[in-house]
Amino acid sequence: MSHSGYRIRAAVSTDAPGLAVLGERTFRDTFAADNTPEDMAAHLATSYSPARQREELADPGRTTLVAATDAGELIGFAQLRAGEVPPAVTGPAPIEMLRLYVDRGYHGRGVANALMEAALEAAAEHGAITIWLGVWERNPRAIAFYRKWGFEDVGSHDFLLGSDRQTDRVMVRLVAE
Ligand SMILES: CC(C)(COP(=O)(O)OP(=O)(O)OC[C@H]1O[C@@H](n2cnc3c(N)ncnc32)[C@H](O)[C@@H]1OP(=O)(O)O)[C@@H](O)C(=O)NCCC(=O)NCCS
């Protein structure tokens, strides 16, 4: 899908190094101020190494979409995952939106909307009817964004950041509304 200055496309294996860099930067930008350096380092080491990104891109249970500028620079990504579903999610044929991250300079500029649209399309192509996500209870901007997109709070689940057990809100909507 083409937008002015960037497009959304399926990620390919050669995106692994770029995704590792973008993933680490956006994770730090979002969470470093509210977490200890130790917990951040522990999480980043396992989640955003280039090797880990290569594994995730090769995982048939995951679908990764990227927003790339016309110059080829990655400015955002979204990832769907078929897997375990928390009890709070009761709708049919669920899929998880595991990640949605946009580079700070592109917040509020429609890139997140474009990624969400593409993620919903990909979820429908996978036969999903319900889409759910976990979002840190202390991430008001993301929660506001998901509410704008019709996601509703159905409960909570734990998320381990390094050694810190945190509470995520669990939010759900139908893929096609
Ligand atoms: C979450 C994210 C993808 C949303 O994209 P975005 O382009 O920033 O989205 P929007 O600009 O539409 O913001 C969503 C809403 O948040 C609200 N908002 C903006 N800044 C806010 C702030 N500092 N605090 C609380 N709410 C805020 C606004 O109400 C806005 O809605 P509006 O357009 O009606 O005013 C993007 O901010 C992001 O990548 N953040 C960092 C990573 C992240 O938190 N990912 C989600 C992890 S679960």
Side-chain angles (χ1 to χ4, degrees):
M1 204 185 305
S2 214
H3 301 267
S4 116
Y6 67 94
R7 71 188 183 102
I8 309 294
R9 61 168 172 79
V12 291
S13 57
T14 48
D15 287 319
L19 272 172
V21 171
L22 178 66
E24 171 155 357
R25 184 167 69 238
T26 50
F27 197 86
R28 274 189 200 288
D29 286 348
T30 311
F31 300 115
D34 296 305
N35 291 284
T36 68
E38 293 76 20
D39 286 336
M40 289 294 293
H43 184 82
L44 288 168
T46 52
S47 297
Y48 290 112
S49 68
R52 178 75 193 139
Q53 292 309 305
R54 267 193 299 278
E55 275 171 32
E56 290 189 1
L57 290 171
D59 177 353
R62 296 183 192 236
T63 302
T64 307
L65 301 163
V66 294
T69 64
D70 295 344
E73 184 201 1
L74 301 187
I75 56 172
F77 66 104
Q79 193 176 70
L80 299 173
R81 179 174 69 175
E84 270 182 56
V85 180
V89 177
T90 55
I95 198 164
E96 178 182 12
M97 184 139 98
L98 178 64
R99 297 190 176 124
L100 174 62
Y101 285 87
V102 172
D103 223 352
R104 188 175 258 175
Y106 290 89
H107 290 180
R109 292 171 57 178
V111 178
N113 287 332
L115 279 166
M116 177 63 86
E117 268 168 29
L120 291 173
E121 269 173 35
E125 279 163 21
H126 281 76
I129 296 173
T130 306
I131 185 163
W132 70 276
L133 56 87
V135 52
W136 193 23
E137 60 181 354
R138 290 173 56 188
N139 189 349
R141 183 168 193 152
I143 291 172
F145 176 79
Y146 296 134
R147 279 198 194 290
K148 275 201 303 188
W149 274 89
F151 284 83
E152 285 174 17
D153 190 317
V154 294
S156 64
H157 72 176
D158 283 357
F159 176 81
L160 204 58
L161 186 92
S163 61
D164 186 23
R165 191 168 294 282
Q166 310 188 333
T167 303
D168 275 1
R169 300 315 308 168
V170 174
M171 301 182 79
V172 173
R173 66 163 263 177
L174 292 174
V175 170
E177 281 195 340

